[in-house]
Amino acid sequence: MEIKSAKFKKGIRGTDDILYEALPQIAFIGRSNVGKSSLINCLVRSKDLVKSGKTPGKTREINFFLVNDGFYFVDLPGYGFAKMNLDKGEQTAKMIQWYFMEKVYKRKVVLLLDMKVGPTPLDLEMFRILQENHQDILVVANKADVLNQKEKSAQIKNIAIKMPGVEIIPCSAKNEEGRSEILRRIFE
Ligand code: GDP
C-alpha cells in the first residue's frame, strides 16, 4: 500500500480521546538518534512531517499523524538520553510504558534499532516491555546503508538471537532500502 496523505493531528502527554478512536495505530519507538524521524519521513515521502528528535525545544510528546485518512502513525519520544533508565521512573520512560499499557483499537509497534550498533540493553528492555504487554512487534534495523552485505547478515542473525520470534527488516531511511517491505508489513 502506498501513502497518499499524512498530516499531523496532535501531540499528547497523557490521556486523550484520540487514543481510543477506532483507527489502527502504528507506533514507532526507538533510542533517540536511531533515525526515527528520518524513517517516518521516508515512509510518507516528506522531508519534514516529523521534526528530528534533536530539534531544540521539541516537547517530549506522543505525536499522532493521520495517514491515508485511515491509520495513525504514532511517534513516541526517543528513549536513551543520558542516564535514563527504563526502570527508574524517568518521565519519558513512564510516558512510553503508559502508552503501551493503554488498550487501543488496534496497534502494531515498529521497534527501531541502529543496525550498526545492534540491540543495546535499553532496546532489549523495551523489547521485553512490549512483549509483556502482548504487542505486535516489528523490528526495523535502520542505517543498513553503512554496512556491507556480510555485516548485514551477521547483524540480522545477532538481532534474531537477542529478539527471538519477531520479524526483522533491515532498512535505510537514507536510500529507502526496506521501505516497501515495511509498508507491506505495517498495512497488512
Ligand atoms: P531520531 O532522533 O531517532 O528522530 O533520529 P533522526 O531522524 O533525527 O536521525 C539521527 C541521525 O541519523 C541524523 O544525523 C540522520 O541523518 C541519521 N540517519 C537517519 N537515518 C539514517 C540512515 O538510514 N542511514 C544513515 N547513514 N544515517 C541516518
Side-chain angles (χ1 to χ4, degrees):
M1 188 156 116
E2 243 328 312
I3 293 190
K4 296 183 192 83
S5 66
K7 49 184 179 268
F8 175 71
K9 284 292 273 194
K10 67 156 83 171
I12 68 169
R13 298 178 134 203
T15 193
D16 191 288
D17 287 348
I18 198 167
L19 275 167
Y20 313 107
E21 287 178 19
L23 293 182
Q25 299 178 18
I26 318 290
F28 294 83
I29 180 99
R31 247 171 351 101
S32 50
N33 218 35
V34 73
K36 185 161 53 65
S37 323
S38 306
L39 180 74
I40 299 175
N41 288 331
C42 162
L43 294 177
V44 304
R45 293 229 164 95
S46 154
K47 278 199 181 65
D48 56 1
L49 180 73
V50 182
K51 309 280 180 287
S52 166
K54 288 178 297 182
T55 309
K58 190 189 175 229
T59 45
R60 303 176 65 65
E61 296 186 323
I62 300 176
N63 288 308
F64 281 71
F65 300 89
L66 181 64
V67 173
N68 288 357
D69 292 320
F71 295 83
Y72 281 123
F73 276 12
V74 181
D75 180 22
L76 285 122
Y79 55 84
F81 278 111
K83 295 209 180 81
M84 173 180 155
N85 179 316
L86 287 180
D87 278 334
K88 292 221 170 109
E90 201 267 356
Q91 209 201 338
T92 302
K94 275 192 182 159
M95 203 197 271
I96 293 170
Q97 295 205 28
W98 162 77
Y99 170 74
F100 286 113
M101 280 160 60
E102 286 303 293
K103 295 269 172 287
V104 303
Y105 169 70
K106 256 186 199 171
R107 175 160 53 206
K108 281 185 186 171
V109 186
V110 177
L111 176 59
L112 265 162
L113 303 178
D114 182 317
M115 193 159 187
K116 188 165 181 192
V117 177
T120 67
L122 272 180
D123 293 327
L124 294 171
E125 176 68 1
M126 184 55 67
F127 183 68
R128 185 185 65 77
I129 290 169
L130 294 173
Q131 285 199 312
E132 273 178 13
N133 287 291
H134 311 289
Q135 301 295 318
D136 179 3
I137 309 166
L138 173 67
V139 171
V140 165
N142 190 34
K143 310 196 186 183
D145 57 282
V146 303
L147 301 181
N148 64 35
Q149 208 50 54
K150 202 174 151 204
E151 293 167 326
K152 274 197 241 181
S153 13
Q155 188 61 283
I156 295 282
K157 280 193 196 127
N158 173 41
I159 299 169
I161 290 167
K162 292 179 175 155
M163 299 179 155
V166 296
E167 193 177 349
I168 301 157
I169 302 179
C171 86
S172 164
K174 203 167 176 176
N175 67 18
E176 296 202 346
E177 173 183 348
R179 180 182 180 274
S180 50
E181 184 67 13
I182 297 169
L183 289 178
R184 187 191 57 72
R185 177 62 174 75
I186 60 186
F187 291 130
E188 79 192 357

